[in-house]
């Protein structure tokens, strides 16, 4: 018996560095959906980005990260319609040439497939620190399409 028994059956645990308030130029690394390992039926939508440029919010004393680092945007789908609105805003900015009617469950599933059709797409994020109605800090991300002139 080895101390590594079972290693073939587990996935890698990653800790994300989440998007902080400020303005970001980002490039998509990976888009995925996954079920919580702690709560059956709880799903998340997750995007990992390479940071191309980051200008921190004036409220941040020191930059949270620098170009070349990886940041994560995670949406808990238990938030229902609010979560879907946030994801739709991301999808519309990511795919500005796609009609709004074409952003449907099939399109979102395609973005999460292993072939990673969105890898390399650039997008901008304007993130603002807010406080929720329950008094919890939250980073609201407004997504902006990048169009090459």
């Amino acid at each position: 018996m080895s101390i590594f028994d079972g290693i073939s059956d587990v996935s890698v645990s990653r800790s994300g560095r989440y998007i902080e308030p400020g303005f970001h130029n980002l490039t998509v690394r990976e888009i995925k959906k996954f079920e919580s390992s702690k709560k059956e039926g709880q799903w998340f939508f997750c995007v990992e980005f390479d940071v191309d440029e980051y200008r921190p919010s004036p409220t941040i004393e020191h930059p949270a990260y620098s170009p070349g680092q990886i940041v994560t945007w995670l949406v808990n789908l238990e938030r229902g319609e609010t979560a879907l609105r946030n994801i739709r805003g991301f999808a519309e900015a990511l795919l500005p040439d796609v009609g709004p009617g074409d952003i449907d469950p099939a399109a979102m599933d395609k973005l999460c497939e292993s072939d990673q059709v969105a890898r390399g797409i650039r997008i901008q994020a304007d993130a603002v620190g807010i406080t929720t109605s329950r008094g919890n800090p939250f980073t609201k991300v407004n997504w902006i399409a990048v169009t090459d002139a």
Side-chain angles (χ1 to χ4, degrees):
M1 178 172 236
S2 168
I3 62 168
F4 299 109
D5 283 347
I7 197 165
S8 301
D9 304 319
V10 298
S11 61
V12 174
S13 176
R14 298 183 193 177
S15 59
R17 179 174 221 167
Y18 297 113
I19 291 177
E20 297 284 344
F23 188 82
H24 306 72
N25 283 309
L26 305 166
T27 301
V28 174
R29 285 178 73 90
E30 181 178 18
I31 300 175
K32 58 189 169 186
K33 60 182 178 180
F34 61 92
E35 187 174 13
S36 171
S37 59
K38 296 178 182 175
K39 184 177 178 187
E40 187 176 333
Q42 181 178 6
W43 284 87
F44 293 91
F45 177 80
C46 180
V47 186
E48 284 187 348
F49 303 94
D50 288 313
V51 176
D52 300 322
E53 179 186 8
Y54 170 61
R55 293 190 308 268
S57 168
T59 60
I60 294 180
E61 201 169 305
H62 302 287
Y65 34 76
S66 56
Q69 293 185 306
I70 299 170
V71 293
T72 301
W73 182 59
L74 184 68
V75 179
N76 181 345
L77 287 158
E78 268 192 348
R79 305 279 188 261
E81 190 175 310
T82 300
L84 293 176
R85 272 196 300 265
N86 290 331
I87 293 169
R88 183 176 186 92
F90 165 75
E92 286 181 359
L94 183 73
L95 306 168
D97 296 331
V98 172
D102 295 326
I103 296 174
D104 59 13
M108 295 308 300
D109 285 335
K110 179 68 179 161
L111 287 175
C112 296
E113 290 178 357
S114 62
D115 61 351
Q116 291 297 300
V117 296
R119 180 178 286 132
I121 295 178
R122 294 179 10 227
I123 192 167
Q124 294 178 327
D126 187 10
V128 179
I130 63 171
T131 302
T132 67
S133 58
R134 293 184 178 172
N136 298 318
F138 178 77
T139 302
K140 169 70 176 146
V141 181
N142 299 302
W143 299 103
I144 305 160
V146 172
T147 53
D148 294 320

